[in-house]
Structures are given as C-alpha cells and as structure tokens.
C-alpha cells in the first residue's frame, strides 16, 4: 500500500440502503468540491463554551476539527479523514484497493440517520472485504454511547449492497464448526433498527468457531466484553480485523489456514486470528479531538487472539497485547493514519486495565 496516494473517494451514491443522504464528494482531481463533507463537530476542543469540561456526549470525534473543508495534513483518506480508518488507496476509483489483493471497501453511514454534532448523519462503519478469502479483512468504526439505545437485535442477515454480491456469502448457512461472528457487534449499534440492520450485512460477518470462541464464555466473546468497558466519552476508535496466515498468539496457540464451507460457499477462508486495534484519549473525557492531542494524551494498542476453541474461558491479559506498529508489520495495513500523534510504537498494559 505504498502507491502515491490519491485516496479513497466515494463512488457516487454507494451508501447505505434506505439512507437519504448526499454522496461523498468526488475528489478525482484532488481538489475540493463546492459542497465538501463537513465535520461532525465544528469545535471539538470546546464543545460547550459555557462548560468546556463537559464534552458533547453526542459527538464521536469529528474527522477534521481544525479545517472542516479539507482532510488532515498528510491524510491517506481523502474522502473522509475519520480517525479509525486504516490507509486505503484506490487511484482508479473502482471500489477496490490498489494492493492487488482483491480487497473491496464500502462506507456505511447510519441508515437510521442518527445525527452527530453539527447535524451530519453519523457514520456506522467502514468495511474492507476480501474477494479472495470471501471474508471481511477489517471493519473500522467509532464506539460511543450515541450508538447505543433500546433497539433489539434484528438478525437481518443479507448481502451488502455496496460490495459485489458474487464475492459475498449467499445464504445464512454455517459450516466448518463455525457460526456467524460479527466484526462490529449488534449490541454496539442499537440506536435504531435500520442502523442495527446494517451490521448484519454479510461483509460484517466472519466464520467464528462456535464451541469455544464465539459463544458464551468463548475467547472472542470475553474479549468483546472487555473492549466494551473501554468505550469513553471522547470516543473509542477501533478496527476489528482477521488474519489468514499461520499464526501463534501470546498464549502459544497456533492456527493454520483452512478453507471451509460457509454461507452457501465452499471456498471461504477461516481466519487464523482476530484482532482489535484501538485508539482513544487516556483520560477519556477531555472533549478534545484526538487529532489535536499530543502523544502523551493518547493511547493505542492491539489485542490479538488466535482463532481457536482453546481460548474458552480465557480473560484478556497482557499476553495478547501488541503495539500498533507490530500489528502493521504483521498485517500489512497502516492504522490510524489520520491521527499524526498516535503512539503506535508503544503501549502500557496498565493503560488498558491489565
């Protein structure tokens, strides 16, 4: 992913079904349109001038607080400088990343039209999906209380309308000892029924082992529960990802690549590892954009677990932690590219409650 970056812009009107919004501006010539995408909060440094220590609870940090009409300086994501996005390049704007790995992507704004600060429709998540493995590679999303409400789980499994249908699952069927595992969880998007339905797109679903990984007390479920406790007012930015090569984690659990029947296909790669890449402010309630924070004010880390039933009952420990820089070397992706001071080379387990 080291091509000259004329970054991801949107394919006109490729967004969320049922969401009546404007298309992403097309920055074909790397110039600004007359109606550029505005930030979600015009002044995150001081969301409430009368009470600067009380940050706006309806704001999952904006994509570019300092200059709403342009992406952040050096940004690798021109169309949106959202802080959770990994670096992505699509020079010919065909909906595929330029890595040559059959990686497709789509942005999904909230179909329930939830509003972020500034009146714009909030983003739900961005997905990168593999046409080779027929499985999500990563899903990037903000975590914030504004996305949590009283909506019940919809179980609305269906094809993602913004990714080619022929590379996705074609049914809700399972196989290979796996069930349907969410990348971004259903419980993390309960603010409205339409927004919850979006997390049931097949592109947000990966095969996860059902007896000891994606089940009550399973290795992944316990990690999900732990991450839930890390959400803060300033927003937790996360990338949930899969790995498909042989992998040994910090618990010395080794998993090798395997092809299974899943989702009505016989050519699905079962992930060998799942990870969370996380970024947030240390204090959690600063009211500041992470783009305007120093490295000392931020913390980021990766939680990495092999995809095995042997981790059932294993609560998170420091053994599964990895620096973001090391995760980048492992996966080939560049994370938190829109947060220049993200301390990607280091982490403290104690910052994450471990």
């Amino acid at each position: 992913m080291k091509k000259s970056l004329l970054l991801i812009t949107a394919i006109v009107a490729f967004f969320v079904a049922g969401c009546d919004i404007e298309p992403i501006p097309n920055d074909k010539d790397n110039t600004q349109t007359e109606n550029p995408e505005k930030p979600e909060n015009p002044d995150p440094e001081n969301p409430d001038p009368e009470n600067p220590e009380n940050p706006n609870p309806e704001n999952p940090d904006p994509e570019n607080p300092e200059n709403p009409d342009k992406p952040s300086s050096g940004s690798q994501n021109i169309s949106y400088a959202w802080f959770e996005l990994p670096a992505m390049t699509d020079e010919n704007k065909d909906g595929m990343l330029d890595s040559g790995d059959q990686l497709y992507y789509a942005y999904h704004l909230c179909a329930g039209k939830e509003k972020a600060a500034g009146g714009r429709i909030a983003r739900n998540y961005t997905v990168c999906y593999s046409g080779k493995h027929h499985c999500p590679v990563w899903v990037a999303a903000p975590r914030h209380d504004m996305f949590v409400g009283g909506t019940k789980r919809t179980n609305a499994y269906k094809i993602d309308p913004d990714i080619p249908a022929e590379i996705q699952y074609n049914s809700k069927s399972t196989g290979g000892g796996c069930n349907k595992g969410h990348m971004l969880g259903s419980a993390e998007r309960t603010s409205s029924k339409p927004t919850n339905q979006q997390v049931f797109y097949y592109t947000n679903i990966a095969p996860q082992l059902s007896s000891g990984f994606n089940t009550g007390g399973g290795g992944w479920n316990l990690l999900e529960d732990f991450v839930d406790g890390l959400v803060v007012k300033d927003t937790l930015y996360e990338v949930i990802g899969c790995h498909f090569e042989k992998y040994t984690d910090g618990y010395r659990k080794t998993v090798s690549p395997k092809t299974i029947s899943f989702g009505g296909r016989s050519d699905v790669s079962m992930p060998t590892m799942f990870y969370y890449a996380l970024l947030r402010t240390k204090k959690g309630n600063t009211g500041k954009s992470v783009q305007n924070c120093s490295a000392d004010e931020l913390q980021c880390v990766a939680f990495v677990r092999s995809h095995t039933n042997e981790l059932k009952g294993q609560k998170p420990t420091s053994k599964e932690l990895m620096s973001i820089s090391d995760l980048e070397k492992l996966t080939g992706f560049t994370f938190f590219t829109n947060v220049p001071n993200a301390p990607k080379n280091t982490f403290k387990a104690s910052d994450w409650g471990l």
Side-chain angles (χ1 to χ4, degrees), residues 235-277:
T235 304
L236 174 70
Y237 300 97
E238 66 179 20
V239 181
I240 312 100
C242 299
H243 191 59
F244 300 97
E245 298 177 5
K246 185 176 181 179
Y247 185 74
T248 301
D249 67 9
Y251 299 107
R252 310 309 301 168
K253 307 299 183 183
T254 300
V255 180
S256 297
K258 183 179 180 181
T259 301
I260 63 172
S261 294
F262 187 87
R265 307 186 65 103
S266 60
D267 55 355
V268 175
S269 298
M270 187 175 75
T272 57
M273 173 269 273
F274 286 86
Y275 64 84
Y276 274 101

Side-chain angles (χ1 to χ4, degrees), residues 140-161:
R143 294 286 305 278
H144 192 275
D145 284 348
M146 71 162 286
F147 298 106
V148 180
T151 296
K152 295 181 180 180
R153 180 185 176 102
T154 60
N155 290 318
Y157 295 101
K158 65 178 181 178
I159 287 174
D160 186 329

Side-chain angles (χ1 to χ4, degrees), residues 256-316:
S256 297
K258 183 179 180 181
T259 301
I260 63 172
S261 294
F262 187 87
R265 307 186 65 103
S266 60
D267 55 355
V268 175
S269 298
M270 187 175 75
T272 57
M273 173 269 273
F274 286 86
Y275 64 84
Y276 274 101
L278 304 176
L279 170 72
R280 49 166 277 191
T281 59
K282 285 185 177 180
K283 290 185 177 180
N285 61 352
T286 65
K288 295 176 65 175
S289 160
V290 291
Q291 191 180 51
N292 298 328
C293 290
S294 67
D296 290 339
E297 295 176 293
L298 299 172
Q299 59 187 60
C300 57
V301 77
F303 286 77
V304 184
R305 288 193 162 197
S306 288
H307 185 202
T308 172
N309 287 319
E310 295 179 38
L311 290 177
K312 186 172 185 178
Q314 177 63 63
K315 294 182 178 180

Side-chain angles (χ1 to χ4, degrees), residues 9 16 43 51 85 93 99 104 127 148 152 161 172-173 175 177 206 222 233 238 249 257 262 278 329-330 333:
T9 54
V16 182
D43 189 8
N51 185 11
L85 286 184
K93 301 173 181 62
S99 62
Y104 296 76
V127 59
V148 180
K152 295 181 180 180
K172 296 188 293 184
S173 64
L222 291 175
K233 283 187 176 182
E238 66 179 20
D249 67 9
F262 187 87
L278 304 176
K329 295 173 185 176
L330 176 65
F333 294 105

Side-chain angles (χ1 to χ4, degrees), residues 26 39 74 83 118 135 143 177 191-192 244 247 280 284 301 327-328 350:
N26 184 350
F83 299 140
C135 186
R143 294 286 305 278
S191 49
S192 71
F244 300 97
Y247 185 74
R280 49 166 277 191
V301 77
L327 182 66
E328 290 177 337
S350 58

